[in-house]
Amino acid sequence: DEGLDEGFGEWLQARRAGSRSLCRRALTPRHGGVTPPHRCSGDGRPGAGPVLASPAMNPAPNLVLVGPMGAGKTSIGRRLAERFGLQFVDADHHIEQRTGATIASIFEHVGEAGFRERERCALAELLAGEGQLVATGGGAVLDAQNRQRIRERGFVVYLSAGIESQLKRLQR
């Protein structure tokens, strides 16, 4: 949790201040945690030099969790949102609320293509907001439009878990 506190706290503080000082890169797993964002020297390399705004900088209005099913996007997302005072939104839950049907039911009736269209619309709606932690569905990044929108409107964090952990979590 210390890595989470350091990295996300710095992101949140910079976002609230309107700073463009954090590099745009997904946090990567490190010993069961994440590697926090780093400062750039202006040429894209980590360093203590002056921080300059560039296309690589992302003063993202939202924090977005991506990763496979069972990686912990929802459970970790709730904890992080509470810790950093962000509104937590689970994209799959949002789709179920909007349609009045479960994800499984949507897949059964309109197939994967129909579900992905609903997911694309839901993410567009959710990512138009600010100050949110958005937990995406496991397949959201399969769609090019979703990837582009997530990149433009979110500080992206990839969560991963081993196969055994995923299977254990999905059995619950």
Side-chain angles (χ1 to χ4, degrees):
D1 275 357
E2 288 179 22
L4 292 176
D5 285 340
E6 177 186 334
F8 294 118
E10 188 174 350
W11 167 82
L12 182 63
Q13 188 175 38
R15 188 190 69 76
R16 285 183 176 157
S19 172
R20 293 181 160 271
S21 63
L22 294 177
C23 279
R24 177 185 185 169
R25 69 177 179 139
L27 302 181
T28 55
R30 181 191 70 200
H31 309 294
V34 294
T35 302
H38 63 279
R39 298 242 177 234
C40 285
S41 60
D43 61 1
R45 293 178 301 144
V51 178
L52 305 173
S54 76
M57 302 297 175
N58 180 7
N62 299 295
L63 183 59
V64 181
L65 301 184
V66 299
M69 286 177 58
K73 297 179 300 290
T74 298
S75 58
I76 291 171
R78 282 190 180 114
R79 289 179 27 214
L80 289 173
E82 183 178 333
R83 180 173 289 169
F84 296 113
L86 299 170
Q87 177 186 353
F88 175 76
V89 184
D90 181 286
D92 283 348
H93 181 73
H94 180 79
I95 293 167
E96 289 178 337
Q97 295 288 83
R98 289 284 184 177
T99 63
T102 66
I103 299 301
S105 183
I106 295 169
F107 266 89
E108 182 181 323
H109 288 91
V110 295
E112 184 171 1
F115 171 75
R116 296 295 172 206
E117 176 61 31
R118 286 158 179 77
E119 181 179 56
R120 189 179 309 110
C121 292
L123 283 173
E125 181 183 332
L126 293 172
L127 292 171
E130 294 188 4
Q132 303 173 107
L133 189 148
V134 179
T136 64
V141 296
L142 298 175
D143 182 87
Q145 289 178 0
N146 288 345
R147 289 191 306 272
Q148 178 68 28
R149 189 168 283 119
I150 289 168
R151 220 179 2 256
E152 290 172 353
R153 299 287 302 162
F155 186 89
V156 182
V157 178
Y158 176 78
L159 297 181
S160 66
I163 299 293
E164 288 181 26
S165 295
Q166 286 177 290
L167 291 173
K168 184 178 175 183
R169 290 173 183 166
L170 294 173
Q171 288 176 347
R172 294 183 206 162

